């Protein structure tokens, strides 16, 4: 694995590989890597790309400064895991490499409805930050293929929209959520849970599974209420439990029994905010 810290060196290397006929695959991350991230690398490699992983904890996407300060950093372990996985390139830029002009006055992206709901509503400015860093990274790497996790369902939709806005032809791949053996979605933030919180955390997955098992045609308010209570009983502070159209993310209150729908949850377990989702139908 080659480690690049500087944009111009990375760009030169990518240009030479492209000239040699390689396709470029990209997996952007914020580090504290786990099997979910590594599964993205694996898919990227299996598709025959030159595999590029970036690790950059992007300050502009944290609406809560405490969350940014406490974001786990495990860079040596990350390098070890990436190397073991056969990753070709790790891009490890400084803040100055990504934002040479600083982080004020960065571009604003017209995300419309997508930014007003769910994560957009509860984390104001978050998706602008995601677009700002992804815009920079995508212009540096210019990947043929981009691999991101369905775990961040709304983020996948935002980044697909960003690709349209900035006019890149990159093929977007949304990869399945990798879970712990009890069902908890893997997340860098899980490392911040203490032992009893970790045991409780699986309630999010259980609640999603409850929704999938019990959804019926008609009014969904009773079902959603029960779901919320499952979380509250286990000490969660719920931001949202929603069932939405799987393509548009518009809220579905009344289900016609046919529409493709996804359930999405965001909730705090004390200090730690966790998100997860599950396709309910089909
Ligand atoms: P992050 O480092 O949390 O910004 O995540 C980097 C990428 O990994 C994003 O595309 C995430 O959606 C993806 N990811 C995070 N957790 C998982 C998981 N459990 N399964 C699959 N992909 C994941």
């Amino acid at each position: 694995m080659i480690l690049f810290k500087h944009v111009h060196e990375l760009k030169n290397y990518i240009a030479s590989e492209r000239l040699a006929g390689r396709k470029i695959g990209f997996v952007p991350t914020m580090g504290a890597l786990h099997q979910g991230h590594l599964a993205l690398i694996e898919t990227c490699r299996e598709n025959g790309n030159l595999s590029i992983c970036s690790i950059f904890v992007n300050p502009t996407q944290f609406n809560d400064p405490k969350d940014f300060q406490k974001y786990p950093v495990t860079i040596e372990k990350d390098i070890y895991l990436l190397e073991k996985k056969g990753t070709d390139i790790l891009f490890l830029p400084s803040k100055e490499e990504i934002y040479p002009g600083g982080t004020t006055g960065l571009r604003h992206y017209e995300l419309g409805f997508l930014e007003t709901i769910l994560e957009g509503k509860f984390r104001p400015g978050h998706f602008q930050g995601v677009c700002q860093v992804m815009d920079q990274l995508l212009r540096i790497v210019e990947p043929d293929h981009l691999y991101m996790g369905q775990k961040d369902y709304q983020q996948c939709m935002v980044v697909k929209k960003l690709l349209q806005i900035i006019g890149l032809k990159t093929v977007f791949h949304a990869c399945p959520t990798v879970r712990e053996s009890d069902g908890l979605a893997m997340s860098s933030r899980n490392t911040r849970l203490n032992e009893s919180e970790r045991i409780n955390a699986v309630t999010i997955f259980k609640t999603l599974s409850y929704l999938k098992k019990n959804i019926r045609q008609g009014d969904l308010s009773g079902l959603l209420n029960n779901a919320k209570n499952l979380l509250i009983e286990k000490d969660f502070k719920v931001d949202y439990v929603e069932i939405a159209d799987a393509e548009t993310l518009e809220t579905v209150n009344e289900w016609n029994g046919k529409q493709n729908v996804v359930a999405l949850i965001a909730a705090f377990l004390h200090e730690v905010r966790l998100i997860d989702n599950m396709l309910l139908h089909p």
Side-chain angles (χ1 to χ4, degrees), residues 28-30 34 36-37 40 71 148-149 151-152 176-178 186:
T29 81
M30 297 206 297
H34 49 66
H37 297 115
L40 301 179
Y71 201 83
M148 298 187 76
K151 152 93 174 23
D152 298 283
T177 302
V178 178
M186 289 193 183

Side-chain angles (χ1 to χ4, degrees), residues 193-221:
L193 300 168
N194 67 30
E195 212 175 307
S196 66
E197 288 168 342
R198 169 63 190 85
I199 292 168
N200 269 357
V202 73
T203 309
I204 294 188
F205 174 71
K206 286 187 176 162
T207 305
L208 291 167
S209 307
Y210 166 83
L211 289 169
K212 189 173 172 92
K213 187 166 171 218
N214 292 289
I215 188 168
R216 302 281 180 279
Q217 192 173 339
D219 178 29
L220 298 176
S221 55

Side-chain angles (χ1 to χ4, degrees), residues 112-166:
F113 170 74
L114 250 188
E115 203 182 8
T116 65
I117 51 161
L118 305 166
E119 291 301 282
K121 180 170 162 195
F122 283 90
R123 299 185 68 190
H126 168 63
F127 285 133
Q128 288 301 319
V130 168
C131 286
Q132 284 153 359
V133 73
M134 285 303 297
D135 193 348
Q136 294 300 102
L137 290 169
L138 288 166
R139 285 177 203 275
I140 294 164
V141 176
E142 293 184 56
D144 299 287
H145 297 273
L146 174 63
Y147 298 87
M148 298 187 76
Q150 248 171 37
K151 152 93 174 23
D152 298 283
Y153 197 93
Q154 192 175 5
Q155 175 172 270
C156 285
M157 294 177 65
V158 164
V159 172
K160 275 196 242 173
K161 182 149 190 169
L162 175 71
L163 287 171
Q164 283 173 5
I165 292 173
I166 63 178

Side-chain angles (χ1 to χ4, degrees), residues 138-281:
L138 288 166
R139 285 177 203 275
I140 294 164
V141 176
E142 293 184 56
D144 299 287
H145 297 273
L146 174 63
Y147 298 87
M148 298 187 76
Q150 248 171 37
K151 152 93 174 23
D152 298 283
Y153 197 93
Q154 192 175 5
Q155 175 172 270
C156 285
M157 294 177 65
V158 164
V159 172
K160 275 196 242 173
K161 182 149 190 169
L162 175 71
L163 287 171
Q164 283 173 5
I165 292 173
I166 63 178
L168 281 186
K169 293 211 166 66
T170 303
V171 180
F172 186 92
H173 302 261
C175 303
T177 302
V178 178
R179 299 180 178 281
E180 302 285 357
S181 55
D182 64 353
L184 174 68
M186 289 193 183
S187 163
S188 307
R189 287 186 174 86
N190 293 350
T191 59
R192 291 183 53 204
L193 300 168
N194 67 30
E195 212 175 307
S196 66
E197 288 168 342
R198 169 63 190 85
I199 292 168
N200 269 357
V202 73
T203 309
I204 294 188
F205 174 71
K206 286 187 176 162
T207 305
L208 291 167
S209 307
Y210 166 83
L211 289 169
K212 189 173 172 92
K213 187 166 171 218
N214 292 289
I215 188 168
R216 302 281 180 279
Q217 192 173 339
D219 178 29
L220 298 176
S221 55
L223 181 71
L224 286 167
N225 242 343
N226 294 345
K228 226 170 258 174
N229 285 334
L230 289 175
L231 290 161
I232 292 167
E233 276 164 20
K234 291 286 181 187
D235 232 13
F236 277 92
K237 194 183 138 289
V238 176
D239 270 355
Y240 57 80
V241 177
E242 279 224 16
I243 294 177
D245 182 282
E247 274 82 46
T248 65
L249 279 189
E250 276 173 58
T251 307
V252 176
N253 298 314
E254 230 1 89
W255 187 48
N256 64 12
K258 292 186 191 128
Q259 191 176 4
N260 293 351
V261 283
V262 58
L264 306 109
I265 293 178
F268 281 91
L269 203 42
H270 306 136
E271 294 261 288
V272 185
R273 187 173 184 277
L274 300 173
I275 64 170
D276 198 357
N277 64 80
M278 191 180 278
L279 285 165
L280 304 185
H281 180 85

